[in-house]
Amino acid sequence: MIDRTQTPRTAPALARTPEELAHLRLELGGRVALVPTMGALHDGHRALMATAREQADAFVVSVFVNPLQFGPGEDYERYPRDLDADMAVCAEEGAALVFAPSVEDMYPGEQIVRIDPGAMGRVLEGEFRPGFFSGVLTVVNKLFNLVRPDVAVFGQKDAQQLALVRRMARDLNMPVAIAAAPTMRDPDNLASSSRNAYLAPEERRSALALSRALLSGADASVTGPVGILSAARAVLDEAAAGDPPVTVDYLSLVDANTFAEVPGDFRGDAVLLVAARVGQTRLIDNVPLTL
């Protein structure tokens, strides 16, 4: 959990348009960090901001629910939005500036040109959410251009997104460093997420199987990829028979650099990932491993 017993900080400036952002950005001196978010800020976002404080002299938080990364039937309309609460969190964490644009300001016309995530973005989340990573990388690229940060901070919880943003910055020679913040977890070990608010109490109890499965897999790391997946799958199979059930989209052990599934004799850095639905809520989680 995040320690909130810190000295109260000055409220951040608020920019609602790119023009306001450009004006206020000029007032930020030194090294500047960006923390991109979709709002509904929680302890996971606080961890991102803590990393931003360590990485820079001042940091900007963007709050924008990006329609490009939501597919048909997903939760774009009901995604939680509370800018006043988000501003309060940003003040507590010491943000210098919050950029909270409208959809019309971010996309003043049809967004014809988008970032292609390549093969790495068409597996796992990319397979189950077609177009998702194109939407993510496109808005991140726009935010980089608008905020002009020296460093941008992303969470390890969204491991595939983090890897793709790093690859985009490298492949397109973007003058921004990409920093990672560790996954934050609620007291019951569920990975912190804005979507946790959708879970009814009984659904949340079922959802805890995700972190249990990852822990079981990590504990079996000495047995290699087959043993890791077998241990994690056993937990999820049991949860699939629970009430309410956990419906798994994928459980995968991948190379941390390419996100390709690892072979049975793999040695090196890997990520064990899971995505599943409990009721109407879709959740993801992961744990990094070294084999």
Side-chain angles (χ1 to χ4, degrees):
M1 296 291 289
I2 298 295
D3 180 10
R4 297 188 179 87
T5 61
Q6 52 186 313
T7 303
R9 300 173 185 267
T10 303
L14 174 62
R16 299 305 301 264
T17 67
E19 292 76 21
E20 291 174 355
L21 172 64
H23 174 73
L24 292 168
R25 174 65 177 83
L26 293 174
E27 300 177 8
L28 302 182
R31 184 173 169 86
V32 174
L34 169 65
V35 179
T37 83
M38 293 205 301
L41 303 180
H42 51 68
D43 278 352
H45 296 108
R46 290 179 185 270
L48 300 179
M49 295 182 215
T51 300
R53 286 198 304 270
E54 297 170 355
Q55 295 278 333
D57 301 299
F59 69 91
V60 179
V61 177
S62 63
V63 175
F64 179 64
V65 184
N66 176 34
L68 262 61
Q69 67 194 68
F70 289 79
E74 293 189 336
D75 58 346
Y76 174 72
E77 294 298 337
R78 70 171 183 143
Y79 196 88
R81 295 165 170 85
D82 189 341
L83 183 58
D84 289 342
D86 292 339
M87 289 291 292
V89 172
C90 290
E92 290 170 6
E93 298 300 324
L97 173 59
V98 173
F99 178 44
S102 67
V103 173
E104 291 73 24
D105 280 315
M106 282 299 286
Y107 303 112
E110 181 185 359
Q111 186 72 28
I112 296 174
V113 177
R114 304 190 186 196
I115 299 292
D116 180 358
M120 189 174 168
R122 289 192 283 272
V123 298
L124 302 171
E125 285 299 285
E127 177 183 353
F128 282 87
R129 303 181 67 186
F132 171 69
F133 284 123
S134 175
V136 169
L137 296 182
T138 298
V139 77
V140 168
N141 183 34
K142 289 170 76 78
L143 288 169
F144 285 178
N145 290 333
L146 290 165
V147 178
R148 294 175 287 111
D150 299 288
V151 58
V153 184
F154 295 82
Q156 177 62 39
K157 175 180 167 288
D158 299 294
Q160 190 176 7
Q161 172 181 284
L162 170 62
L164 281 163
V165 170
R166 280 178 165 157
R167 188 64 188 244
M168 176 180 71
R170 190 192 81 174
D171 287 358
L172 300 183
N173 301 104
M174 294 179 169
V176 56
I178 307 301
T183 300
M184 288 299 297
R185 297 188 178 277
D186 295 345
D188 58 6
N189 213 37
L190 190 66
S192 298
S193 170
S194 301
R195 290 184 169 97
N196 290 352
Y198 299 157
L199 296 167
E202 65 275 10
E203 292 174 335
R204 188 179 181 104
R205 286 192 292 272
S206 291
L208 298 179
L210 274 67
S211 56
R212 289 201 308 272
L214 295 175
L215 180 60
S216 182
D219 287 344
S221 60
V222 295
T223 64
V226 174
I228 291 170
L229 289 168
S230 178
R233 193 172 292 113
V235 176
L236 295 172
D237 286 347
E238 181 179 351
D243 184 21
V246 174
T247 304
V248 176
D249 280 351
Y250 60 77
L251 171 70
S252 188
L253 183 65
V254 302
D255 184 311
N257 296 310
T258 65
F259 274 69
E261 290 189 1
V262 303
D265 60 351
F266 179 83
R267 296 293 181 270
D269 293 331
V271 186
L272 179 63
L273 309 103
V274 62
R277 299 178 186 274
V278 184
Q280 298 300 309
T281 304
R282 187 175 185 275
L283 302 170
I284 61 172
D285 202 350
N286 73 84
V287 62
L289 300 171
T290 300
L291 280 67

